[in-house]
Amino acid sequence: MKSIHVPIIIETDEDGIFIVSCPQFKGCHTYGKTIDEALVRIKEVIELCMEDSLADHHNTN
């Protein structure tokens, strides 16, 4: 699989939950109880957002 690099933002809420988002894609965010869990989840969400973005691109041509 091809490796890509996208920016992510990691924050914690008042309960200590890690909130992770990728500003490259609209609506691309998730959370985790640990930072490792949040990072695994954001990778999955980024992949889904990329698939959606690619599908949208193909549908407009």
Side-chain angles (χ1 to χ4, degrees):
M1 175 178 248
K2 184 177 178 181
S3 178
I4 65 159
H5 299 273
V6 293
I8 62 169
I9 298 169
I10 303 171
E11 302 174 289
T12 55
D13 70 5
E14 60 276 356
D15 296 323
I17 301 295
F18 292 92
I19 310 297
V20 187
S21 61
C22 178
Q24 184 102 14
F25 302 101
K26 184 178 179 179
C28 187
H29 56 270
T30 189
Y31 67 93
K33 291 181 181 178
T34 67
I35 195 156
D36 289 334
E37 179 182 33
L39 291 174
V40 167
R41 287 182 171 184
I42 195 64
K43 288 177 186 178
E44 294 170 352
V45 174
I46 289 170
E47 288 175 7
L48 292 172
C49 290
M50 288 178 60
E51 288 174 10
D52 285 348
S53 178
L54 186 59
D56 289 344
H57 176 72
H58 286 298
N59 289 332
T60 60
N61 289 334

